[in-house]
Coordinates of all heavy atoms in Angstrom, one line a residue:
P414 N -22.7 63.5 -20.7 CA -22.5 63.5 -22.2 C -22.5 62.1 -22.7 O -21.5 61.6 -23.3 CB -21.2 64.2 -22.4 CG -20.4 63.9 -21.2 CD -21.4 63.8 -20.0
T415 N -23.6 61.3 -22.6 CA -23.6 59.9 -22.9 C -23.3 59.7 -24.4 O -22.6 58.7 -24.7 CB -24.9 59.3 -22.5 OG1 -26.0 60.0 -23.1 CG2 -25.1 59.2 -21.0
R416 N -23.8 60.5 -25.3 CA -23.6 60.3 -26.7 C -22.1 60.5 -27.0 O -21.5 59.8 -27.8 CB -24.5 61.2 -27.6 CG -25.9 60.8 -27.5 CD -26.8 61.7 -28.3 NE -26.5 61.5 -29.8 CZ -27.0 62.2 -30.7 NH1 -27.9 63.2 -30.4 NH2 -26.7 62.0 -32.0
A417 N -21.6 61.6 -26.5 CA -20.2 61.9 -26.7 C -19.3 60.8 -26.1 O -18.2 60.4 -26.7 CB -19.8 63.3 -26.2
L418 N -19.6 60.3 -25.0 CA -18.8 59.2 -24.3 C -18.9 58.0 -25.2 O -17.9 57.3 -25.4 CB -19.4 58.9 -22.9 CG -19.0 59.9 -21.8 CD1 -19.9 59.7 -20.6 CD2 -17.5 59.8 -21.5
G419 N -20.1 57.6 -25.7 CA -20.2 56.4 -26.5 C -19.4 56.5 -27.8 O -18.7 55.6 -28.2
A420 N -19.4 57.7 -28.4 CA -18.7 57.9 -29.6 C -17.2 57.9 -29.4 O -16.4 57.3 -30.2 CB -19.1 59.3 -30.3
A421 N -16.8 58.5 -28.3 CA -15.3 58.5 -27.9 C -14.8 57.0 -27.7 O -13.7 56.7 -28.1 CB -15.1 59.3 -26.7
L422 N -15.6 56.3 -27.0 CA -15.2 54.9 -26.7 C -15.2 54.1 -28.0 O -14.3 53.2 -28.1 CB -16.2 54.3 -25.7 CG -15.8 52.9 -25.0 CD1 -14.5 53.1 -24.3 CD2 -16.9 52.4 -24.1
A423 N -16.1 54.3 -28.9 CA -16.1 53.5 -30.1 C -14.9 53.9 -31.0 O -14.3 53.0 -31.5 CB -17.4 53.8 -30.9
R424 N -14.5 55.2 -31.0 CA -13.4 55.5 -31.8 C -12.1 55.0 -31.1 O -11.2 54.5 -31.8 CB -13.3 57.1 -31.9 CG -14.3 57.7 -32.7 CD -14.0 59.2 -33.1 NE -13.8 60.0 -31.9 CZ -14.8 60.6 -31.3 NH1 -16.1 60.5 -31.7 NH2 -14.6 61.4 -30.2
A425 N -12.1 55.0 -29.8 CA -10.9 54.5 -29.1 C -10.7 53.0 -29.4 O -9.6 52.5 -29.6 CB -11.0 54.7 -27.6
A426 N -11.8 52.3 -29.4 CA -11.7 50.8 -29.6 C -11.2 50.5 -31.0 O -10.7 49.4 -31.2 CB -13.1 50.2 -29.4
R427 N -11.4 51.4 -32.0 CA -10.9 51.1 -33.3 C -9.4 51.4 -33.5 O -8.8 51.1 -34.6 CB -11.7 51.9 -34.3 CG -13.2 51.5 -34.5 CD -13.8 52.1 -35.7 NE -14.0 53.5 -35.6 CZ -15.0 54.1 -35.1 NH1 -16.0 53.4 -34.6 NH2 -15.1 55.4 -35.1
A640 N -10.2 56.5 -24.7 CA -11.5 57.2 -24.8 C -11.5 58.6 -24.2 O -12.1 59.5 -24.7 CB -12.6 56.3 -24.1
E643 N -10.0 60.9 -26.8 CA -11.0 61.2 -27.8 C -12.0 62.2 -27.3 O -12.4 63.1 -28.0 CB -11.7 59.9 -28.2 CG -10.8 58.9 -29.0 CD -10.6 59.4 -30.4 OE1 -11.2 60.3 -30.9 OE2 -9.7 58.8 -31.1
L644 N -12.5 62.0 -26.1 CA -13.5 62.9 -25.6 C -13.0 64.3 -25.4 O -13.6 65.3 -25.8 CB -14.0 62.4 -24.2 CG -15.0 63.2 -23.5 CD1 -16.4 63.2 -24.2 CD2 -15.2 62.7 -22.1
T647 N -12.3 66.7 -28.8 CA -13.4 67.0 -29.7 C -14.2 68.2 -29.2 O -14.2 68.5 -28.0 CB -14.4 65.9 -29.9 OG1 -15.0 65.6 -28.6 CG2 -13.6 64.6 -30.3
A649 N -17.2 68.4 -29.0 CA -18.3 68.0 -28.2 C -18.1 68.2 -26.7 O -19.0 68.5 -25.9 CB -18.6 66.5 -28.4

Side-chain angles (χ1 to χ4, degrees):
T415 51
R416 293 182 63 182
L418 284 166
L422 192 60
R424 291 193 302 271
R427 290 195 294 269
E643 291 285 349
L644 178 68
T647 63

